[in-house]
Amino acid sequence: MKTPLFGAFQPPHEDERILGSMPRISLKEMQHFRESEPVDYCIVGVGSAGGVLCQRLAKAGFKVVGLEAGPFWDTERDWVSDEKGSHKLYWTDLRITGGEDPLALGENNSGKGVGGGSVHWAAFAPRFHPSDFRVYTDDGVGSDWPISYEDVKPYYELLEREMPVAGPAHFPWGDPHGYPYGPHPVGEVGNVLIKGCTKLGIPVVAGGPIAILSGSRGDRPHCIYRGYCIQGCKVGAKASTLITHVPEALRYGVEIRDRSMAFRISTGRKTRVNGVLYYDDEGREHFQRAKAVIVSGYAIETPRLLLNSACPGHEAGLANASDSVGRYLMAQAGNVLLGRFSELIRMYKTPPAHSMTEHFYETDPDRGFARGFAIQTVAPLPIAFAKQMMKAKGAWGWGMRRVLMDYNHWATLGVLGEILPWPENRVQLAEEKDQFGIPVASVTFTLHDNDKKLIEFGKKTVMEVMRAAGAEEVVQESRYAHLVGAARMGSDPATSVVDRFGRTHDVSNLFICDGSTLPTQGSANPGLTIQALAARTADYLISQGEKIFSSEERDMTPPPVRRKLAVAGTFVHGIPRLWN
Ligand SMILES: Cc1cc2nc3c(=O)[nH]c(=O)nc-3n(C[C@H](O)[C@H](O)[C@H](O)COP(=O)(O)OP(=O)(O)OC[C@H]3O[C@@H](n4cnc5c(N)ncnc54)[C@H](O)[C@@H]3O)c2cc1C
Ligand code: SF4
């Protein structure tokens, strides 16, 4: 055919996209602050929490510099719809692992680059349950939070609209609620979960909750169901702070310095910090002065930076008078069960995250252990599947080739189990150093009796679900997901690092805001909670205004919820569902 059916194909104009929708980010037009002049806030790490903080604080009129160790991704140029080509999204720098049940560190933990872990997350976005905030009171294990579910609920509702989250009209667990966007169509892995659960009488939901568009929104198109979600989603349907919050943060004047690795927080007087020392990409040392500092570097890099910032008056590390920095690190049990079905499954179709049950979330005394687990779809692409089969089935050589040729017949479901916070599970400094000469993190992790019982029960249950769905063969791989804790919040300065707004007990203008402040982790994926807490911390800082920069006083009055600071367009697009 010589003439195209619909006329000449037009490339996208400057300000619009056909596919690959992200708003153009002009780094040239970005605000630039002088290092010698103190900004209001220097934020270390522009990931899940850091991205939300940058957007809120800049929109409220503060001068903000974000330091990000990784690059500023150009999603058109840097991302590929290819499993192998996306490995650069992860923090794969040296980390040391140990303990009786050492965690695999690297691509299974955190991201590096603007957007952080939200760039490669699978985007499952459930809320924590009210019971998560009073685990010690209700179950006698773990720890209570210094805040309740009700304190976070308005921020869950906001972030579910800002991302936005698609999901069922009625999500029956925890505090039952609905979602702003309708659920996604279910793929075959989701069908396996639904079939198995339904046969066993276990309630299950389909099509979310996930922070992936099930309809277009502004200039972001809806999901096209090709399964590259944890490869960044070049399409722009999956939420990451890089595309949801950072563009607006830049418009309101935040400066984000990428490839900038913070290595020490600088102290002025004993109880105050005055800026952050960092290395640029070429190893040159810089010092950004700031009236207050917020660390949002993830549950490993945040304690690492605090420990590396030890100085006279803070010999054990900054904000570590309680000896809690690095302790109470948690990972969720993330055992993956792989089942073979005679019919075709095709795991690569649809987002890996799309169906789940939280039926086993809370403590059931009959099970013989405290707390519980969720069951979720996992659906790895072929390289991840090959790695899982190597561990689960010992597949290798010709056997691996046969297994991979059979990929389309396999479905994977995951346990997401609550491992409790233990003081010996911790981040410390290793003797080894990174490319800048900074001591790297050493992570020690050991399962306790309750954790082991929970994992065994979770595995057995998912095995039953797989069998009930008709699996001919089921194998499993033990793994962990979602590291949080290691700088936990609490009311008692003797046993925690930050207060209920993220302010360190020891240093009045130093805050921590990321997954490391979580006292317990439930069996919900933590990303939504981390971003909701960041919006809450921002509201607190805005309420306190200049007091943060000069006063030692701690005003513990909860801030009003500033809905007007939500990302522009939050309340005008999408299919409105329940909004309490
Ligand atoms: C494969 C995968 C899938 C996941 N899927 C889900 C999911 O479906 N749902 C969910 O809720 N969660 C999921 N997660 C977890 C989620 O991504 C994290 O819990 C979340 O991103 C953590 O947020 P954070 O703000 O604590 O840290 P991050 O988002 O990791 O941000 C920290 C940022 O700080 C930067 N940084 C660190 N140290 C320094 C320093 N010294 N100087 C400058 N910058 C620094 C890092 O480069 C990074 O960008 C997944 C994680 C992985 C690995
Ligand atoms: S399946 Fe995942 S990668 Fe593909 S468009 Fe949907 S969200 Fe993006």
Side-chain angles (χ1 to χ4, degrees):
M1 187 167 60
K2 289 198 178 128
T3 319
L5 210 51
F6 299 110
F9 180 80
Q10 296 288 330
H13 298 297
E14 267 295 283
D15 57 350
E16 65 181 357
R17 293 279 195 277
I18 288 174
L19 190 68
S21 60
M22 288 63 155
R24 183 169 285 262
I25 292 173
S26 167
L27 295 184
K28 277 197 204 123
E29 287 161 24
M30 182 168 68
Q31 175 80 258
H32 289 282
F33 294 102
R34 286 224 293 269
E35 289 183 337
S36 54
E37 281 175 24
V39 290
D40 296 325
Y41 287 100
C42 180
I43 300 174
V44 178
V46 185
S48 292
V52 174
L53 281 173
C54 282
Q55 181 263 342
R56 291 297 207 268
L57 293 176
K59 200 167 180 177
F62 289 104
K63 290 182 184 161
V64 181
V65 165
L67 300 177
E68 169 51 50
F72 219 128
W73 300 115
D74 178 334
T75 57
E76 296 276 328
R77 184 195 60 206
D78 301 330
W79 292 0
V80 286
S81 295
D82 168 77
E83 199 183 358
K84 187 163 189 309
S86 67
H87 280 203
K88 61 188 176 191
L89 301 181
Y90 298 107
W91 188 294
T92 48
D93 300 13
L94 181 66
R95 284 165 171 167
I96 310 296
T97 187
E100 286 173 31
D101 303 282
L103 299 171
L105 300 175
E107 64 191 60
N108 194 37
N109 320 120
S110 55
K112 190 173 184 182
V114 176
S118 72
V119 161
H120 61 64
W121 72 333
F124 255 133
R127 299 178 187 182
F128 279 18
H129 288 198
S131 70
D132 286 319
F133 297 79
R134 34 165 220 265
V135 169
Y136 185 74
T137 300
D138 287 0
D139 298 313
V141 294
S143 164
D144 284 348
W145 292 45
I147 54 177
S148 71
Y149 173 84
E150 295 305 321
D151 292 310
V152 192
K153 179 174 174 170
Y155 295 98
Y156 280 143
E157 291 172 342
L158 268 184
L159 265 299
E160 280 166 0
R161 291 188 157 239
E162 287 176 64
M163 290 178 174
V165 180
H170 181 69
F171 188 80
W173 301 287
D175 173 26
H177 57 280
Y179 285 95
Y181 270 56
H184 286 269
V186 179
E188 271 313 303
V189 182
N191 268 340
V192 166
L193 181 62
I194 292 165
K195 225 191 284 175
C197 284
T198 308
K199 277 222 174 122
L200 298 174
I202 301 167
V204 59
V205 295
I210 35 172
I212 293 177
L213 288 174
S214 58
S216 59
R217 179 186 206 251
D219 56 2
R220 285 174 57 197
H222 63 81
C223 175
I224 57 170
Y225 305 108
R226 53 186 201 154
Y228 289 109
C229 313
I230 63 174
Q231 283 69 40
C233 182
K234 198 174 168 88
V235 174
K238 190 190 75 169
S240 71
T241 55
L242 177 66
I243 63 167
T244 55
H245 289 77
V246 166
E248 188 164 281
L250 295 176
R251 278 198 288 283
Y252 280 96
V254 81
E255 179 183 354
I256 296 178
R257 286 184 208 142
D258 67 341
R259 302 176 196 273
S260 298
M261 176 70 186
F263 66 93
R264 194 181 323 135
I265 301 165
S266 154
T267 43
R269 282 178 284 131
K270 184 169 185 238
T271 55
R272 301 197 71 79
V273 292
N274 57 17
V276 179
L277 288 136
Y278 68 97
Y279 290 115
D280 68 19
D281 205 21
E282 285 162 18
R284 287 181 301 233
E285 190 175 317
H286 298 259
F287 177 49
Q288 176 61 54
R289 291 191 170 278
K291 296 177 192 168
V293 172
I294 311 176
V295 188
S296 302
Y298 187 71
I300 297 180
E301 296 305 317
T302 287
R304 177 188 175 202
L305 179 60
L306 295 173
L307 295 173
N308 271 323
S309 301
C311 60
H314 300 278
E315 284 76 6
L318 204 51
N320 195 21
S322 63
D323 188 28
S324 299
V325 169
R327 293 187 185 274
Y328 306 100
L329 178 77
M330 290 166 280
Q332 281 169 325
N335 301 64
V336 169
L337 283 98
L338 305 102
R340 192 196 187 271
F341 293 80
S342 55
E343 61 268 31
L344 285 170
I345 301 289
R346 298 192 199 279
M347 282 195 285
Y348 58 89
K349 292 198 170 220
T350 75
H354 61 280
S355 297
M356 62 155 72
T357 174
E358 291 186 350
H359 183 64
F360 303 96
Y361 197 105
E362 267 94 18
T363 301
D364 175 350
D366 291 343
R367 297 199 296 240
F369 57 86
R371 305 304 293 161
F373 58 95
I375 306 175
Q376 302 183 336
T377 52
V378 180
L381 291 177
I383 297 175
F385 175 71
K387 288 182 187 166
Q388 286 167 358
M389 280 307 206
M390 213 184 306
K391 291 196 200 145
K393 222 171 138 66
W396 192 250
W398 177 245
M400 174 63 85
R401 202 171 159 197
R402 283 184 55 182
V403 158
L404 278 174
M405 283 181 339
D406 202 33
Y407 169 80
N408 280 340
H409 286 274
W410 287 82
T412 57
L413 300 177
V415 175
L416 197 68
E418 178 169 354
I419 291 176
L420 296 170
W422 306 104
E424 323 80 65
N425 287 345
R426 65 189 296 200
V427 176
Q428 293 167 288
L429 294 181
E431 285 179 9
E432 290 83 349
K433 303 207 165 114
D434 68 7
Q435 63 272 34
F436 299 106
I438 315 168
V440 302
S442 161
V443 177
T444 308
F445 194 76
T446 299
L447 292 174
H448 289 60
D449 199 37
N450 194 81
D451 310 323
K452 289 179 187 165
K453 285 184 183 157
L454 184 149
I455 291 171
E456 280 314 307
F457 190 93
K459 271 170 23 188
K460 191 172 118 308
T461 310
V462 182
M463 188 77 82
E464 284 164 11
V465 170
M466 278 285 197
R467 293 279 184 210
E472 302 160 343
E473 178 189 352
V474 187
V475 293
Q476 86 92 33
E477 183 213 359
S478 298
R479 58 189 268 283
Y480 304 95
H482 308 149
L483 270 59
V484 295
R488 68 178 182 175
M489 70 166 98
S491 307
D492 184 356
T495 57
S496 59
V497 182
V498 298
D499 68 19
R500 74 180 86 134
F501 300 113
R503 192 199 297 237
T504 57
H505 293 301
D506 304 352
V507 184
S508 55
N509 62 343
L510 174 64
F511 288 75
I512 299 172
C513 181
D514 58 13
S516 58
T517 66
L518 272 49
T520 59
Q521 59 178 344
S523 31
N525 320 57
L528 173 72
T529 300
I530 290 170
Q531 292 192 35
L533 289 173
R536 182 172 183 270
T537 292
D539 274 358
Y540 175 74
L541 297 174
I542 294 161
S543 290
Q544 295 299 306
E546 296 284 315
K547 268 194 284 175
I548 298 287
F549 308 140
S550 53
S551 166
E552 303 290 313
E553 182 204 329
R554 280 168 194 259
D555 179 352
M556 301 307 273
T557 317
V561 180
R562 292 185 164 76
R563 293 195 168 80
K564 287 196 177 144
L565 287 184
V567 173
T570 294
F571 297 97
V572 292
H573 292 288
I575 309 152
R577 304 292 291 257
L578 303 181
W579 176 248
N580 309 325

